[in-house]
Amino acid sequence: MTLARIAMREVVAHKARMLLALVAIALGTAFVAGTLVFRDSVTASARASFAGSTADVTVTPARDSEHQDGTGLPATLPGRVLDTAARGAGVRAAHGRVHVPHTVVLDGRGKPMSSRGNTIADWSTDAGSAPRVTRGHAPLAPAELVVAADTAAEHGIRIGDRLRIMAVPGTFEATVVGLARDRADRAPDADLFLESGAAQRQLLGATGRFTSIAVTAAPGVSDARLRAQVSAALPDPTAYTVRTRDREAAARGDAAGASLDVVTYLMLGFAGISVLVGVFLIGNTFSMLVAARTRQSGLLRAVGARRGQVNRLILGEAGLLGVAGSTLGLTLGVALAAGLTRFVGPDGTGPAASMPTVRWSTPVVAYAVGVSITLVAAYVPARRAGRVSPMAALLRAAGSDARRPLRARNIVAGTSAVSGTGALLLAVSTENLAAAGPLLAVGILLTLLGIVAGAPILSVRAVRGLNRLLSRHSGPIGRLARGNAIRDPRRTGATASALMVGIALVSFLSLVAASLVSSVDGQLERTVNADYFVLSSQPMTAEVARVVRETPGLDHVTAQQTVRADLITAHGTDRDHELTATTERFTDDFRPAFTAGDARSTLAAGGDGITVPQAFADEYRLAVGDPVQVRFHGGGTARLLVGGIVREGDVFASGATYVGTHVVRAHLPADQMPLDDVYFASAAAGADRAEVYAALAKRLDGFPQTKVRDRDSYRKALHDTVASALDLVYALLALAILVAVLGVVNTLALSVVERSREMALLRALGMTRRGVRRMIRAEAVLIAVVGAVLGLLPGLAWGAATQRVLAGKGLDTLTVPWPTCAAVLVGAVVAGTLAAWLPARRAARVQPREAMAGAG
């Protein structure tokens, strides 16, 4: 209990010194807790919403090989399944339902209501499960529409407005006749509702088909019993998924949570980076506190405390700090999740109806993360405090521990760096990507460990090197700053390491992104002939196809479809393989490189060939002329011959398996034929390309989900896509760099406290306050620049190795982002200057008389 009281007293007494370490813990745990609460809240909100509109038992089609995903239509159930379910024992009633997500709906201004499309459902004929009309009336005629009240408020939709709905079977208009909420006064499970018959015709293209069947139990029949009886009544239970109300709501809720995986992973990335960098800051804080309290540790040993007790004292302080930081982080995480759930609802597109959900596991994980990283970071300083002997503590000044040998660390650093470099060289020289990938990852991790372990000696060498470069301009203040930076290599190394990790990742990903852009540009020029690209967030409908093909000034239009099939060879079967169906004009638009054969004869009308990627040919030992059986999902089986083997390394064709559209049409029924994914087009000879581009863009204005690009705008769109992804990464890493800058602030602040007498002596010898501030700023800039340089060099090396490993997959051009490197160095100087502001002000306030009073 005595040690516990001392630990508590020390934390309270030095709370200002531990403040930034507390912030680092809170940031890491906030993103961990926020991620868990956010996902749990969305899932719980979705489950609650779906439970209110879900029947006792729901029957849906099982995803199997009888449906092509690219048709643009959901899998459906025929009317006979509804009849069978309705006759089941224990069934009071059964209703066919239509529920179609991701449908483009245009408001009165012709703008899409949602970039992801809206969910449209039929209005249930079961009064108990139908939403509650709050204004107007239910849809009674084919051209009438009810809108969810929240959706209507968000988009300013009123009763009487006409909305345009661009469904796969065709575009139609409907008039808003009512607003609705569900029975529990929440947002319903769809955005818009049509009369049942109209929903079948307009959304599914035929009556008598449903996306699900809602079954209501007779009095006294439990959901579990009803499910068993309905399953037994169905002709082929394996073709259907039958769930009770709770299971269906849970499945749809889990699907809603899974749809937000990108947000989840991004937040976990923030958490991981901030935790990693926070370890350096926390460890540095405790190292300096232990060094400053050397005399106190010795006195504790002198009055009878054992090494283990002093060790536990420091770890106790770390544990208290971890608990406080985790508590703050948990609070911030719940607030962060609450903010996110205001914008992301049960289906991932609108506001959530429920308050943030905090499960018991969330605080457990948050405290486990916060406390464990604090204890890990404080372990080495705690052991160092436990090794202080009573006599040595009485005889030496605080902080003299900095001169302990670094032999063990240097051995670890050298071994890791050499091993990591060897792994990187092996990865670069290995042609097999499956073997090179793990070697690359191991090489990056080992070299990172080597640099972190060797940070003290590397930092000292780097500071001395920078001092030689700047010696003519630094003067006495610069020399003092250099001496302060190299006085404690461990402290300087730990501070620089935190910044180094973030900058290494920035430079690594920047080089990969720059190389990707250069590679795409080069391959676009070498392999793409098409003048125009028509792209869409959804499969192209027949209307889009007609508009594109009827545009004047086009020489030809090449369509592509994605088809699912099983490929059966003499050496094995590749299941659920994606084929690209196209025509022989594809070879006019693209020039993919072949290691054997070609594509023109394969794709020509009447041809019976298929092209396969090199990796596929190697795996199944295929050569040109070998037979391949193609079993189309939802259709028949074709026997095709390998007509060409596509070389790996082409961004626009790598991994693609091409087959003629005529082959697909011959083996798939019309309702299973996938819609077009993309169109490539070229202007006719003599036509003005700019005018044709403008005409094509104008004709597609009425289809906001579809975009047309010429070669220049297509290249720019590719660049923007890479830049957007990189912006997210930079935002993630900015947090790491922020925590690292806080580490510089913390190091300098504690260093100023330790060196109060030294500052007073400098003032007594004539140094002005401005000179003291300049000295602290110079020290901060030195540490920041060293961290930036130590981060840039390995980051660029990792990027270059990654480019070489992926050269065969399309990343064939190495481009070093020199502007980014320059910006990083300039940013390091600015960060160091800003980090030194408060410590420099504090150091400048030290009075000369404190040197005579023995302060420090």
Side-chain angles (χ1 to χ4, degrees):
M1 293 297 295
T2 302
L3 287 176
R5 287 196 297 270
I6 295 175
M8 179 69 74
R9 186 184 64 198
E10 290 294 334
V11 170
V12 174
H14 300 98
K15 55 183 178 292
R17 301 185 185 186
M18 293 185 175
L19 178 61
L20 294 180
L22 181 74
V23 171
I25 300 167
L27 285 175
T29 53
F31 283 105
V32 171
T35 301
L36 298 176
V37 173
F38 170 65
R39 188 173 180 118
D40 289 343
S41 299
V42 171
T43 301
S45 178
R47 288 185 178 185
S49 177
F50 295 140
S53 58
T54 301
D56 297 332
V57 166
T58 300
V59 182
T60 56
R63 187 188 184 280
D64 56 19
S65 60
E66 296 306 314
H67 181 71
Q68 288 286 343
D69 294 336
T71 62
L73 296 173
T76 59
L77 299 166
R80 65 177 182 275
V81 178
L82 173 61
D83 297 336
T84 301
R87 292 193 300 268
V91 175
R92 188 186 72 183
H95 303 276
R97 297 300 314 275
V98 176
H99 194 272
V100 181
H102 311 305
T103 303
V104 178
V105 181
L106 307 183
D107 60 20
R109 298 169 297 173
K111 302 295 184 182
M113 289 173 53
S114 172
S115 60
R116 298 178 56 183
N118 293 93
T119 298
I120 307 180
D122 66 327
W123 187 264
S124 175
T125 55
D126 180 6
S129 62
R132 178 173 58 87
V133 177
T134 57
R135 290 188 58 193
H137 61 82
L140 304 175
E144 292 184 345
L145 187 70
V146 168
V147 181
D150 290 342
T151 302
E154 181 182 356
H155 298 283
I157 296 172
R158 301 179 180 180
I159 293 178
D161 289 353
R162 289 189 65 79
L163 304 182
R164 189 181 181 202
I165 300 171
M166 307 182 75
V168 170
T171 299
F172 63 98
E173 292 187 351
T175 302
V176 179
V177 297
L179 306 179
R181 302 185 70 85
D182 83 347
R183 295 288 168 179
D185 205 35
R186 295 183 295 255
D189 65 343
D191 303 312
L192 304 97
F193 298 88
L194 289 166
E195 182 268 332
S196 181
Q200 295 171 50
R201 288 190 302 274
Q202 305 284 22
L203 301 178
L204 302 180
T207 58
R209 301 199 69 84
F210 312 97
T211 58
S212 65
I213 294 173
V215 184
T216 304
V221 178
S222 67
D223 290 355
R225 180 182 170 192
L226 179 63
R227 176 190 176 279
Q229 292 173 338
V230 170
S231 297
L234 295 175
D236 182 9
T238 61
Y240 312 100
T241 299
V242 185
R243 295 192 182 103
T244 61
R245 179 191 301 272
D246 291 342
R247 289 293 181 89
E248 179 68 11
R252 294 172 70 178
D254 292 343
S259 68
L260 302 169
D261 280 345
V262 172
V263 178
T264 300
Y265 294 148
L266 183 63
M267 292 176 65
L268 287 177
F270 276 101
I273 294 294
S274 59
V275 165
L276 176 63
V277 177
V279 167
F280 293 105
L281 192 157
I282 298 164
N284 218 15
T285 298
F286 276 95
S287 292
M288 299 178 73
L289 289 175
V290 165
R293 288 159 44 188
T294 302
R295 188 180 301 273
Q296 177 185 352
S297 300
L299 288 173
L300 286 173
R301 295 294 310 283
V303 296
R306 296 185 298 274
R307 284 189 176 189
Q309 290 178 306
V310 177
N311 191 340
R312 289 194 295 274
L313 172 64
I314 303 300
L315 291 178
E317 295 178 32
L320 290 173
L321 182 65
V323 170
S326 300
T327 303
L328 177 59
L330 180 61
T331 305
L332 293 175
V334 173
L336 175 64
L340 287 174
T341 52
R342 289 176 58 87
F343 302 100
V344 181
D347 61 353
T349 60
S354 64
M355 294 296 291
T357 301
V358 182
R359 302 186 186 277
W360 66 267
S361 56
T362 299
V364 171
V365 172
Y367 280 104
V369 170
V371 174
S372 62
I373 64 170
T374 310
L375 292 176
V376 167
Y379 179 72
V380 172
R383 282 178 56 86
R384 193 178 304 149
R387 287 197 297 265
V388 174
S389 66
M391 186 59 66
L394 295 174
L395 295 177
R396 64 184 184 179
S400 57
D401 184 61
R403 294 187 176 274
R404 285 193 306 109
L406 295 167
R407 184 177 305 161
R409 288 190 63 150
N410 290 341
I411 291 174
V412 172
T415 303
S416 299
V418 171
S419 302
T421 302
L424 291 176
L425 292 175
L426 282 175
V428 169
S429 60
T430 301
E431 295 184 1
N432 185 357
L433 182 60
L439 285 172
L440 178 66
V442 169
I444 290 175
L445 290 175
L446 286 177
T447 50
L448 176 62
L449 175 62
I451 295 170
V452 170
I457 187 65
L458 291 174
S459 299
V460 169
R461 298 289 176 84
V463 168
R464 287 173 176 166
L466 287 173
N467 186 68
R468 293 191 187 97
L469 292 175
L470 304 175
S471 58
R472 295 182 179 179
H473 308 283
S474 59
I477 289 178
R479 289 193 292 273
L480 285 171
R482 186 205 67 173
N484 291 332
I486 65 177
R487 179 185 303 177
D488 190 338
R490 287 183 175 79
R491 177 189 304 171
T492 301
T495 308
S497 294
L499 193 60
M500 178 202 73
V501 171
I503 290 177
L505 293 174
V506 168
S507 56
F508 166 51
L509 294 171
S510 296
L511 188 145
V512 172
S515 299
L516 176 61
V517 168
S518 300
S519 300
V520 169
D521 283 350
Q523 294 185 34
L524 184 63
E525 292 300 323
R526 293 193 304 269
T527 64
V528 181
N529 289 340
D531 294 325
Y532 315 110
F533 310 84
V534 181
L535 313 168
S536 178
S537 58
Q538 300 180 16
M540 311 283 189
T541 63
E543 294 173 283
V544 175
R546 177 180 54 78
V547 166
V548 172
R549 295 184 187 281
E550 293 178 358
T551 301
L554 290 179
D555 175 70
H556 69 276
V557 176
T558 304
Q560 283 189 0
Q561 303 92 26
T562 300
V563 186
R564 291 171 54 218
D566 299 333
L567 302 189
I568 306 169
T569 74
H571 300 285
T573 299
D574 189 69
R575 300 191 181 279
D576 209 12
H577 192 97
E578 282 194 354
L579 308 178
T580 299
T582 187
T583 66
E584 62 180 322
R585 295 306 299 266
F586 172 77
T587 56
D588 295 333
D589 299 316
F590 278 83
R591 298 188 300 271
F594 288 84
T595 60
D598 58 48
R600 180 171 288 276
S601 60
T602 299
L603 302 177
D608 61 350
I610 183 173
T611 69
V612 296
Q614 182 67 60
F616 185 89
D618 293 341
E619 181 179 357
Y620 293 99
R621 290 175 278 178
L622 295 174
V624 171
D626 287 348
V628 175
Q629 283 191 320
V630 181
R631 184 168 58 210
F632 293 98
H633 293 189
T637 300
R639 184 180 184 276
L640 305 179
L641 302 178
V642 176
I645 298 177
V646 183
R647 188 186 69 186
E648 300 288 343
D650 188 339
V651 171
F652 297 98
S654 184
T657 302
Y658 295 106
V659 66
T661 303
H662 63 280
V663 174
V664 178
R665 292 190 185 280
H667 292 86
L668 278 181
D671 64 347
Q672 290 293 308
M673 188 65 192
L675 297 176
D676 300 331
D677 294 325
V678 63
Y679 295 114
F680 306 107
S682 294
D688 187 301
R689 286 186 173 85
E691 291 181 1
V692 175
Y693 177 50
L696 189 55
K698 184 176 181 180
R699 291 172 67 87
L700 290 171
D701 273 346
F703 304 91
Q705 77 276 23
T706 304
K707 302 294 182 186
V708 59
R709 308 280 188 191
D710 62 4
R711 293 173 66 86
D712 290 338
S713 61
Y714 183 64
R715 180 184 292 106
K716 183 178 183 301
L718 292 175
H719 291 189
D720 291 344
T721 300
V722 175
S724 298
L726 206 57
D727 286 343
L728 289 176
V729 174
Y730 285 160
L732 187 154
L733 295 176
L735 180 66
I737 295 174
L738 173 62
V739 175
V741 171
L742 293 179
V744 177
V745 175
N746 206 36
T747 297
L748 292 175
L750 294 177
S751 178
V752 166
V753 172
E754 288 181 7
R755 290 151 43 194
S756 295
R757 187 179 184 188
E758 175 186 323
M759 303 294 177
L761 286 171
L762 290 173
R763 292 293 312 282
L765 292 173
M767 180 176 283
T768 62
R769 289 188 173 185
R770 181 185 178 191
V772 172
R773 288 196 296 267
R774 286 178 58 196
M775 181 183 67
I776 299 298
R777 282 198 298 268
E779 183 180 349
V781 169
L782 274 175
I783 294 174
V785 170
V786 165
V789 171
L790 292 180
L792 275 175
L793 295 178
L796 294 177
W798 299 340
T802 302
Q803 183 274 323
R804 291 301 307 157
V805 169
L806 297 177
K809 291 296 182 182
L811 199 67
D812 56 7
T813 304
L814 176 65
T815 302
V816 179
W818 296 115
T820 301
C821 297
V824 165
L825 291 175
V826 172
V829 174
V830 174
T833 303
L834 294 176
W837 188 68
L838 285 175
R841 283 173 56 87
R842 179 169 184 171
R845 287 199 298 267
V846 175
Q847 298 298 323
R849 63 175 177 270
E850 293 185 27
M852 304 304 173

